[in-house]
Amino acid sequence: MKNFFIKLSPILIIILVSMAMVTKANTAERVVGQLPEAYLTLYATEKKEGSLTTDLTNFTLKVKGHTYFFSRWMNVPNPTYYPELYYSDVNNDGKKEIIIVLTTGTGSGVVLQEVHVFHENNGDLVEVLVDNPVAIINKNVKTKSSNTEAVITIDNNKTKINFEELGIVPAHISENVGFGNKLKFKVIDDKLVAIVDASIAPTGGGLGEIHIAYMFKDNMYQAEEIKFIPFWKLEFY
């Protein structure tokens, strides 16, 4: 009997070992969320660089015996910002939907989230599109600012914000009101709500928040109500 051996080049050996190390580094799967009422468990893989976890990725969603994979989902690794799960009738059809909120970015004064809404259809889950809140703001919110105040207009409702009253330093003021350093999603009273901050300065320039309540229309979630809440009237969630 003859023995056959395949001779590998040193470069190929290094590549194979590196691939094995990467695979091993990315296989620390863990539970990152549960909804007992919906018989739902959400798993994710910890992506590591050395000893540090850089992202949660390669998500697996198990619901009532069904398994769904989401290789492109990403969440920051900080347990404080693990995915938020909701089970609520957000489209007012008498049945509850599954809502998963991922936190894709955090930093100094920054929290960025994305939302995934699933309808149940004959025992299967179907993801439904949610209109981008920043695009909604760009279409429906008008702003104007000077060195002393900003005016935010939605439909015919105008809100004036005096910078001095909020303690905003004039030297730090930007040319225009900015949106989106904080972009969050919540389910409040069976309504899907996007919460987007409004600011006039990179730091210490918070003016308030735009709240967008969604409704289900034309097979997607669209803005039903848009309102600006100035800083002094905010209830922090």
Side-chain angles (χ1 to χ4, degrees):
M1 180 181 292
K2 294 183 179 180
N3 294 324
F4 293 91
F5 297 93
I6 299 175
K7 186 175 181 181
L8 301 179
S9 69
I11 294 177
L12 182 56
I13 292 174
I14 292 172
I15 292 174
L16 291 174
V17 171
S18 299
M19 290 175 64
M21 292 176 64
V22 170
T23 301
K24 184 176 180 180
N26 292 337
T27 54
E29 187 177 72
R30 63 169 54 204
V31 174
V32 294
Q34 291 181 305
L35 278 176
E37 184 184 1
Y39 302 97
L40 179 155
T41 303
L42 183 64
Y43 303 84
T45 297
E46 293 182 338
K47 184 177 179 182
K48 290 184 177 291
E49 291 184 3
S51 61
L52 297 178
T53 301
T54 58
D55 292 309
L56 298 179
T57 186
N58 292 327
F59 282 79
T60 302
L61 178 63
K62 294 186 178 181
V63 186
K64 299 177 182 179
H66 297 273
T67 302
Y68 305 88
F69 300 99
F70 302 96
S71 61
R72 295 185 179 182
W73 283 11
M74 189 276 288
N75 200 96
V76 298
N78 186 339
T80 302
Y81 296 102
Y82 268 18
E84 300 172 33
L85 310 181
Y86 299 93
Y87 193 46
S88 180
D89 184 11
V90 292
N91 66 352
N92 199 31
D93 68 347
K95 298 184 295 184
K96 292 184 178 182
E97 288 71 51
I98 292 169
I99 300 96
I100 300 176
V101 178
L102 304 177
T103 299
T104 58
T106 59
S108 179
V110 174
V111 178
L112 300 177
Q113 295 183 333
E114 66 182 36
V115 67
H116 300 273
V117 180
F118 296 91
H119 290 185
E120 187 173 346
N121 184 15
N122 296 323
D124 199 10
L125 290 185
V126 178
E127 184 168 4
V128 180
L129 180 66
V130 178
D131 202 3
N132 186 303
V134 175
I136 292 172
I137 289 171
N138 289 339
K139 293 176 184 177
N140 297 278
V141 179
K142 297 180 180 179
T143 66
K144 185 169 62 174
S145 61
S146 66
N147 292 330
T148 58
E149 70 175 17
V151 179
I152 295 178
T153 304
I154 302 174
D155 293 328
N156 294 319
N157 299 316
K158 292 186 178 182
T159 304
K160 291 185 179 182
I161 305 105
N162 184 284
F163 299 150
E164 185 177 357
E165 291 177 358
L166 291 182
I168 298 174
V169 179
H172 297 166
I173 292 172
S174 302
E175 184 177 351
N176 299 305
V177 176
F179 298 98
N181 281 336
K182 293 181 182 178
L183 194 169
K184 300 180 180 180
F185 290 91
K186 301 287 184 184
V187 174
I188 303 171
D189 297 330
D190 288 330
K191 283 284 187 183
L192 176 63
V193 179
I195 302 170
V196 184
D197 77 315
S199 62
I200 195 65
T203 57
L207 303 178
E209 295 175 344
I210 301 288
H211 286 207
I212 302 168
Y214 286 88
M215 64 178 177
F216 184 64
K217 182 180 178 182
D218 298 330
N219 294 318
M220 66 178 293
Y221 285 89
Q222 304 181 32
E224 179 181 30
E225 181 184 21
I226 309 168
K227 60 183 178 181
F228 173 70
I229 303 176
F231 187 82
W232 58 87
K233 291 185 178 180
L234 283 177
E235 294 181 10
F236 294 95
Y237 297 96

